[in-house]
Amino acid sequence: MPPHFQLDEDNDVIHDAEAFSLATESAYQAAYSPLRLYLRQLVVDKVKRENPKLAAIQHRYRSPGLDRLFVFSGMLGNHSFFMIALPFLHTFGMGAFARGLTFVVLWSIYFSGFVKDYISAPRPASPPVVQITRSPAHTLEYGFPSTHTTYAVATIVYISHFMLNVWHISTVWVGLMWICGVTIVVGRIYCGLHSFIDVVGGIVIGIIEALCFVFFFDRMDALMLSTAGPLYSIAIFYFAMSSIPRSLDPCPCCIDSFCATSVTLGLSIGYWIHARLPFLWHTGQSDAISWDLSLTLTQNALRCLITIVLVVAWKVGSKPFIVSMVKYLVPDYLSQVSSEECSDDSSAKDSDSDCKQDCYVAPTASNIKNRRYGSYALMVSHENLARIPIYSGIPIT
C-alpha cells in the first residue's frame, strides 16, 4: 500500500520519509538510466545530510507567528491562487506582458515537475523535521527542486526586468518585491518541506527560465499569434506532455504539469482567436483585451468579478460533462495494466486541488518494460486527460 501521512498534536505533518518510495532498489536499476540513478543518489544523499540542520533550524526559530507567516506565503503557490490572480493580468489589458508572465509562472510548474519526476528524490525526512503545511498530500510529492522557489524566482526576475528596463519604476518597489520572494523561499526551508539543495535547484531553474522568456518571448509570442499559431501551440503542448519522465512512485507532480501546461495551450489559442475578431479591439490593439479607463470604479470592479465568476463557473461546471465525454471517447489505458498492480492511495488526494489522483501502478518487470508504472496511472486516467480541455478552456472564457 502507498504511504499515508499523519498529523501530530499541533496538526503538523509527520510521516516516515523512507516509506515514501514504494519501489525496490532493483526496480530503480531496471527503470532508470545510469545518469538518472547517479543524479538521484546525489540529491538523496544531500537531503539526508541536511536533515539534522533543518531540524535544528526549526527547533531554534519556530514560533506561532512565523508559522502563520510562512504557511501564508506557501499558499501563494497553490492552484486556487493562480486561478484567481492570473486572469486579472489579462482583464487589465496588459497584453504581451500578461501572456509572458502567465507563461513564466505556469511553465515553472512544468519544468520543476519535470525535474522532480526525473530525479525522484523525497522531501526531508519527518521526523526529525516537522512539515508545516495546510496541504498535507503535498508532502508525499518529490522534493527536488522546490516548485514554489522556481516560480517565485522566475516571476520576480521577469517582473524586475520590466520594472527596471521598460517601466523605469523605482528600485524601492523592486526591492519590496524581492523581499516577498525571499519570504516564500525561506518559508520552504522553515516549514520543513524542502532542503537547501531543493531551494538552490529551484533558484537555478527559475533564473534560467526567466532569462529565456526575457530574451526570447517576443519571438515566441509572434509565432503564437501567427496564422499557424495554434499548430505551434499544440505541437509544443504534445511534446511537453509526452516528454514527462515516468517516476516509480505515485508522485502527482505530472498532474500539476498537465494542469499548468493545458492553461498555456488555452491561453495561446484564446489570444489567437481574439486577434482575429476586430470587433473586440476597442482600443485598436489586436493582441490585448481592452481596459476602458472611462468606466467607473464600480463598473471595473464588476468586470473583475465577472471574470472570476466565469473562470470558476467553467472549471466547476464543465468538469462532469468533459470527464464523461473523455470516458466515452478515449480508451481506458489502465485496462492494459496487469491485474492487481493498481492500488488505491487515499493519501494522494488534496482537498485544496482536484489536480491529484488516487491510483498507483506497481513497478513490476512487465510494467517497467512497457513504461507503465508509478505515475503512469496518474497521467493516463480519464480524469487527468479531461483536464486538458478543462484547463485549456479557462483562459478562453
Side-chain angles (χ1 to χ4, degrees), residues 39 50 110 179 207 211 258-259 267 313:
L39 294 176
E50 292 177 353
Y110 173 82
I179 291 175
I207 292 176
L211 293 179
F258 264 79
C259 296
L267 182 64

Side-chain angles (χ1 to χ4, degrees), residues 118-138:
Y118 186 83
I119 299 297
S120 305
R123 294 177 185 264
S126 174
V129 176
V130 177
Q131 297 178 331
I132 311 165
T133 178
R134 291 186 178 179
S135 300
H138 285 296

Side-chain angles (χ1 to χ4, degrees), residues 88-95 274 279-285 288-304 307:
F88 285 121
L89 297 174
H90 307 274
T91 304
F92 293 159
M94 304 186 75
H274 177 274
F279 64 88
L280 294 176
W281 309 346
H282 299 299
T283 59
Q285 291 181 279
I289 300 173
S290 62
W291 178 257
D292 194 344
L293 296 177
S294 65
L295 298 178
T296 65
L297 179 61
T298 301
Q299 290 172 323
N300 282 323
L302 180 61
R303 179 177 181 177
C304 294
T307 299

